Amino acid sequence: MAAASLTLSLAVIALLSAAVSATNITDILSGYPEYSEFNDLLTKTKLADEINSREPVTVCALPNGALSAVTAKHPLSVVKNVLALHVLLDYFDAAKLHKISEGSVLTTTLYQTTGNAAGQLGFVNITDVKGGKVAFGSGLPGSPLDSVFTKSVKQFPYNLSVIEISKAIAPSAVLSAAAPSDANITALLDKAGCKTFASLIVSTGVVKVFASAAGKGLTVFAPNDEAFKAPDAPDLTKLTNAEVVSLLQYHALAAYTPVGSLKQMKGRISTLATNGAGKYDLGVKTAGDSVSLVTGVDDSRIASTVIDSTPLCIFTVDSLLLPVEFFGKAPSPAPGPAPETSPSPSPAEAPTPASAPEPAAAPSPFKSPPAPPANSPDGAPSEGPTADSQNSSSDNSGASFEAPAVVKVLLTVAVSVFGSILTS
């Protein structure tokens, strides 16, 4: 009996793994060689992580060669922006595309969440045109609708849809965006309210380390000015110059790591301060849309995105990141006071059963029926999230998206079966 239960458990776990993998955009597209170039670019730009951390999402895949004009003339940062326009933050399958209300709709794209899209640049216009065709184009007024829906590729109602369109949506305003290598890191930090941090990296020379790393990939977690004024902020004058340099480098990763990629992280992450003498690493903790960095001494929440443009990412954080190498581990919480107990009444004071009043019957609790799912009506555009809003619902450092219902059911069954094995 136990052997049969174990076999069933392993089968359920295998189905669970397959269900989770099924909603991974990289795994999905790997089964279609005609999208290999598109899939490779999603991985290089880390957009795959962003897609996997969101739902609902529609990915407008492009066949091989459709992006050659963009990739041949523009840096990866611009290519990422173009690709982000092909990730719609709503669910569209063939049926919905052909039933668009009033024949046309503006829908929010992943590019809109970067905060770099002016006006309607972060939207895509979807129009049901004559002859049964559905056309796509930039949301900017007057933009041509020169890309058309070709076919459905894969759907997971109503979380993820992959469709094919004929041509890249690449407005000139996106193609002409400045490359991040031209960005002035200290100017960006000053503008974002991180002047103290900017001053420190300049005075210590750490800004040169950041600038050197930015070409290959750099992520900076910059404490805002208020973080340095907090009562629990460390006194930097008590640190040596070398320790201050290490502390500042502890606030950066030698890789381009946007929020979607941070949510996928498991275990500890090396920083620019990591060396043979100490680990100087970080952990990541997520709760809904919130992402926090865990040092072992404290946690610091990512408050906003200053810039997210391959290969440079700068975030502001609410507090300084304190490495355990300098500040030790967080102390364990002190035990709370023992609960006070009231003395038992003497027998003479205890009420007799006859004198005890009859307890009133409590009313039965009323349970309201569950609210229907808040699906957007056909053709209605998604509400545009802010630059730092994330559509994931993760509660831990490993998960990055709300699992579909079938995954939850399979997980429940697996837990139940394992429980029966342990008790048998």
Side-chain angles (χ1 to χ4, degrees):
M1 179 64 182
S5 298
L6 180 58
T7 301
L8 177 60
S9 300
L10 294 176
V12 170
I13 293 173
L15 287 172
L16 177 63
S17 300
V20 173
S21 177
T23 55
N24 182 294
I25 188 62
T26 304
D27 292 344
I28 293 170
L29 292 178
S30 65
Y32 300 88
E34 62 269 35
Y35 307 124
S36 60
E37 294 177 2
F38 183 80
N39 196 18
D40 182 56
L41 288 171
L42 289 182
T43 300
K44 287 181 177 178
T45 58
K46 303 295 182 75
L47 281 176
D49 291 335
E50 292 280 354
I51 294 169
N52 292 337
S53 69
R54 294 175 178 269
E55 56 181 50
V57 170
T58 299
V59 178
C60 301
L62 294 164
N64 293 339
L67 281 166
S68 57
V70 177
T71 57
K73 300 178 181 178
H74 300 279
L76 193 61
S77 60
V78 172
V79 174
K80 178 182 179 178
N81 291 339
V82 172
L83 287 173
L85 284 172
H86 294 73
V87 182
L88 315 180
L89 302 185
D90 199 353
Y91 181 85
F92 289 96
D93 54 17
K96 185 173 179 178
L97 288 172
H98 287 289
K99 294 180 181 178
I100 292 177
S101 177
E102 299 181 359
S104 183
V105 67
L106 283 178
T107 188
T108 313
T109 72
L110 197 56
Y111 184 54
Q112 178 69 17
T113 69
T114 64
N116 299 323
Q120 296 179 341
L121 189 60
F123 293 81
V124 161
N125 183 346
I126 307 175
T127 300
D128 194 357
V129 296
K130 294 180 180 180
K133 293 184 177 181
V134 179
F136 289 72
S138 170
L140 291 175
S143 297
L145 299 173
D146 52 1
S147 182
V148 297
F149 167 67
T150 307
K151 63 179 181 180
S152 292
V153 179
K154 192 76 173 179
Q155 278 73 43
F156 298 87
Y158 293 90
N159 299 319
L160 173 65
S161 177
V162 182
I163 63 176
E164 180 187 289
I165 61 176
S166 62
K167 185 179 179 181
I169 303 168
S172 58
V174 174
L175 295 175
S176 60
S181 57
D182 300 332
N184 186 314
I185 293 177
T186 54
L188 289 170
L189 292 173
D190 282 345
K191 187 176 180 181
C194 303
K195 293 183 179 180
T196 304
F197 185 74
S199 176
L200 284 170
I201 64 174
V202 170
S203 63
T204 58
V206 172
V207 68
K208 296 179 181 178
V209 178
F210 285 2
S212 176
K216 295 182 179 179
L218 176 69
T219 301
V220 178
F221 306 110
N224 55 40
D225 290 336
E226 294 303 315
F228 288 90
K229 302 175 184 177
D232 56 349
D235 184 356
L236 300 186
T237 61
K238 295 182 178 180
L239 300 178
T240 66
N241 290 339
E243 288 173 337
V244 172
V245 168
S246 294
L247 178 64
L248 296 173
Q249 291 180 343
Y250 185 63
H251 289 72
L253 312 179
Y256 169 70
T257 316
V259 167
S261 297
L262 286 172
K263 288 183 176 182
Q264 301 286 328
M265 293 290 185
K266 297 180 181 180
R268 307 290 288 183
I269 312 169
S270 296
T271 67
L272 280 181
T274 300
N275 55 44
K279 292 183 178 179
Y280 295 98
D281 54 13
L282 292 170
V284 179
K285 180 173 66 176
T286 66
D289 292 341
S290 178
V291 179
S292 298
L293 303 171
V294 181
T295 68
V297 178
D298 62 353
D299 296 352
S300 184
R301 184 182 67 90
I302 292 180
S304 65
T305 302
V306 178
I307 184 173
D308 178 359
S309 185
T310 312
L312 175 63
C313 212
I314 300 178
F315 302 105
T316 64
V317 291
D318 287 340
S319 60
L320 272 73
L321 305 180
L322 306 179
V324 295
E325 287 77 11
F326 293 162
F327 302 98
K329 294 185 178 181
S332 301
E340 297 183 4
T341 57
S342 301
S344 301
S346 64
E349 297 173 340
T352 63
S355 63
E358 186 71 22
S364 300
F366 173 76
K367 295 183 178 180
S368 59
N375 290 336
S376 58
D378 286 351
S382 298
E383 181 181 353
T386 63
D388 299 300
S389 175
Q390 299 297 324
N391 291 349
S392 69
S393 54
S394 172
D395 289 331
N396 52 63
S397 60
S400 60
F401 61 92
E402 180 68 20
V406 63
V407 177
K408 295 179 180 177
V409 172
L410 290 173
L411 181 58
T412 302
V413 173
V415 172
S416 176
V417 173
F418 271 122
S420 66
I421 293 174
L422 293 175
T423 57
S424 62

